[in-house]
Amino acid sequence: MAKTRDTLPLLRTEEDLARLPAHERIRYRLVGAGSRYHANDNIAAHVRPGELDELKAEVESRMKEVLQALVIDTDSDHNTNDTARRVAKMFIDEVFRGRYQPAPALTEFPNVERLNELMIVGPVKVRSACSHHLCPILGRVWIGVMPNEHSNLIGLSKYARIADWIMSRPQIQEEAVTMLANVLQERVKPDGLAIVMEADHFCMHWRGVKDDESMMTNSVMRGAFLKDANLRREFLSLLSKKG
Ligand SMILES: [Zn+2]
C-alpha cells in the first residue's frame, strides 16, 4: 500500500495510542473520524471508559502550570493548594460535562392523541460559559413546540435535560440556541419549533466595560413558527406572561 506521510495521518496501533496522553489519544480518534472538536462540540463517542479520569489528571497538571504562570505560590498558599484539582474536576464533571457525556437518554412516545396544540416549556434555567473568556452565562430558555401526528413526544423534564446537555459547554449564545433547536427538531420532529433564550453574560460584569446591561436575548423560529405570524405572536405573548 503506497502511503505518503503528507497526505495520510500516521497510522498508530492501539499500543502506540496507549502510550500517548489521553487528550492526544482522543484527538487522534477525532481527527481520524473527521469529527469537529470545537469548544461546544460533544466528543463523548470518542472517549473510552477510564479516559475522563486521565483527562482530569492532565487538566489538573496544566492548571497547576497556569497558577504558577500567574506567580501564585500554590505550595504555601493553603487557599490555592488544591485549586488545580478542583478546577479540573469542575470543568470535566460539571460545567463542561456536555462535551464529554453522551446525550441524555430519552423515551419518545408516538403522538397517539394526535395533539396539535402549541405547547410551551419554560422558563428552563440554563447555565453555560462563554467560549471567549470561560465566564459564566446564566439564563432562561423557553421552548415552543407545534406537534403533528408524526411527532415524537418527550416528557417535559427531558427538555430541561437536553438544554442542560447543550449548555454545559463553552458556548456562544447564538450557536447554543441553534444546537438546541437542531437536537429537538431531530428528536421530536415537530411541525414548528421556537426557542427563546435570555441570558446574563458575566464577562460583561467582571471584565471589559463592566456594563451591567449584559442581558442578551435571541431566538430561533422554525417551520410553522416561521410561516405563521399568529402562532409566533401566540408563543411570544404566552412567554411574556410566564416571564
Ligand atoms: Zn466572554
Side-chain angles (χ1 to χ4, degrees):
M1 187 175 69
K3 177 162 82 170
T4 58
R5 272 187 82 148
D6 294 341
T7 51
L8 285 176
L10 208 52
L11 292 175
R12 288 173 157 146
T13 63
E14 279 298 317
E15 230 175 20
D16 292 338
L17 284 179
R19 277 194 290 270
L20 293 175
H23 75 271
E24 277 184 37
R25 208 182 303 141
I26 297 165
R27 192 173 56 208
Y28 178 83
R29 293 184 202 126
L30 285 159
V31 171
S35 296
R36 206 180 77 159
Y37 55 105
H38 290 184
N40 57 5
D41 288 325
N42 180 277
I43 61 166
H46 304 275
V47 179
R48 306 253 166 97
E51 287 182 340
L52 287 185
D53 286 333
E54 286 181 72
L55 275 191
K56 257 178 271 177
E58 289 167 28
V59 174
E60 176 180 346
S61 89
R62 304 291 176 99
M63 210 49 227
K64 206 169 258 169
E65 288 174 23
V66 170
L67 293 166
Q68 275 160 9
L70 291 167
V71 202
I72 293 174
D73 178 3
T74 57
D75 289 332
S76 43
D77 176 7
H78 57 278
N79 293 321
T80 54
N81 201 267
D82 208 19
T83 296
R85 189 194 58 82
R86 279 189 219 103
V87 171
K89 188 172 185 298
M90 175 182 78
F91 282 170
I92 292 185
D93 289 347
E94 298 174 303
V95 297
F96 303 150
R97 72 186 176 287
R99 299 195 78 232
Y100 307 102
Q101 300 296 331
L106 299 180
T107 317
E108 289 149 10
F109 306 98
N111 185 4
V112 283
E113 306 281 339
R114 293 171 183 257
L115 299 172
N116 62 351
E117 304 257 312
L118 170 61
M119 191 175 89
I120 297 184
V121 186
V124 174
K125 279 195 182 156
V126 290
R127 303 186 292 182
S128 192
C130 81
S131 301
H132 298 149
H133 307 94
L134 304 185
C135 283
I137 298 173
L138 301 182
R140 303 187 295 174
V141 167
W142 291 262
I143 300 163
V145 176
M146 191 67 200
N148 66 25
E149 68 268 34
H150 306 296
S151 296
N152 298 312
L153 303 179
I154 59 175
L156 289 183
S157 65
K158 302 300 169 135
Y159 289 92
R161 292 202 54 201
I162 293 178
D164 182 61
W165 180 65
I166 298 286
M167 297 298 163
S168 308
R169 309 172 188 183
Q171 275 287 10
I172 296 300
Q173 190 169 326
E174 300 92 315
E175 293 181 12
V177 289
T178 304
M179 278 186 162
L180 180 57
N182 292 347
V183 173
L184 290 175
Q185 187 68 45
E186 193 193 320
R187 305 297 288 259
V188 182
K189 299 183 173 62
D191 258 2
L193 180 67
I195 298 179
V196 170
M197 176 169 171
E198 174 192 83
D200 199 4
H201 289 244
F202 280 64
C203 56
M204 298 289 282
H205 296 294
W206 197 24
R207 53 162 296 285
V209 290
K210 297 201 165 82
D211 185 354
D212 280 335
E213 292 298 316
S214 57
M215 288 303 259
M216 179 173 161
T217 304
N218 56 12
S219 60
V220 172
M221 301 282 162
R222 295 207 175 150
F225 287 92
L226 270 186
K227 291 180 219 132
D228 184 346
N230 287 329
L231 182 63
R232 199 159 60 233
R233 247 193 311 275
E234 189 186 346
F235 171 67
L236 293 171
S237 71
L238 286 171
L239 172 156
S240 64
K241 273 180 226 147
K242 285 182 161 200

